Amino acid sequence: WAPLSEMLTERACADLSPAITKNATECFASSKAQQAASHSFTWFVLVQGVAQLLTCPVVGAISDVSGRRKALTVPVIGALLSSLAMWLVPASLQMTLLLPLYGAASLSGGMYAFVNGSFASLADHTMAMETRQREARFGIVESMLWVRT
């Protein structure tokens, strides 16, 4: 969440006072910028959470029918699209264009679908292993999935 929060704060600073963006410390200390960023962040998290909540069961059902690889690819593509949208959409269109694009990209299932799909795929591939080996594999995958945070 830190990159999104930082981006929203920087954009809030730019909207409030272009002169303040030259001094990052002053920008991030501004209570108005923090309040505006918090408001935007709340909406982004809400839209993303609802979209992923609605989509995860669908992505899970698709993975059961058509295979795990496709179901793991969809959230990665969605993350790529949301990252591109954040990079390309100007701050002035943050709530009118970026928020809907971010929500649409979140319909891919996002990190929730990716994590659950990863564990489902791992479960499929480790069925014949001994319990201790299987536990070790799950521990390694779980630790790697959360390294990014």
Side-chain angles (χ1 to χ4, degrees):
W1 294 110
L4 176 62
S5 176
E6 187 173 321
M7 180 198 75
L8 293 173
T9 305
E10 287 174 359
R11 287 180 170 196
C13 288
D15 286 346
L16 292 172
S17 171
I20 204 171
T21 58
K22 292 180 181 169
N23 183 349
T25 305
E26 186 179 331
C27 168
F28 282 83
S30 166
S31 62
K32 286 185 180 182
Q34 291 291 328
Q35 185 178 12
S38 177
H39 175 77
S40 298
F41 189 73
T42 299
W43 278 105
F44 275 81
V45 171
L46 180 67
V47 166
Q48 180 187 33
V50 169
Q52 291 178 3
L53 178 70
L54 296 174
T55 309
C56 276
V58 175
V59 173
I62 290 170
S63 77
D64 290 341
V65 173
S66 65
R68 307 282 187 229
R69 185 172 294 181
K70 289 178 186 174
L72 286 172
T73 304
V74 172
V76 171
I77 292 170
L80 175 66
L81 293 175
S82 67
S83 295
L84 283 173
M86 282 188 244
W87 181 52
L88 295 173
V89 174
S92 60
L93 299 175
Q94 180 168 293
M95 296 304 279
T96 56
L97 181 60
L98 181 58
L99 185 61
L101 287 174
Y102 192 74
S106 294
L107 288 173
S108 67
M111 191 63 179
Y112 301 113
F114 184 76
V115 168
N116 291 323
S118 298
F119 283 121
S121 180
L122 183 61
D124 293 345
H125 287 87
T126 60
M127 289 294 256
M129 288 185 177
E130 292 181 21
T131 304
R132 293 187 68 64
Q133 288 180 318
R134 198 167 192 221
E135 289 171 351
R137 299 284 195 297
F138 271 86
I140 291 168
V141 169
E142 185 169 7
S143 67
M144 290 294 108
L145 284 172
W146 300 109
V147 163
R148 70 167 186 88
T149 55

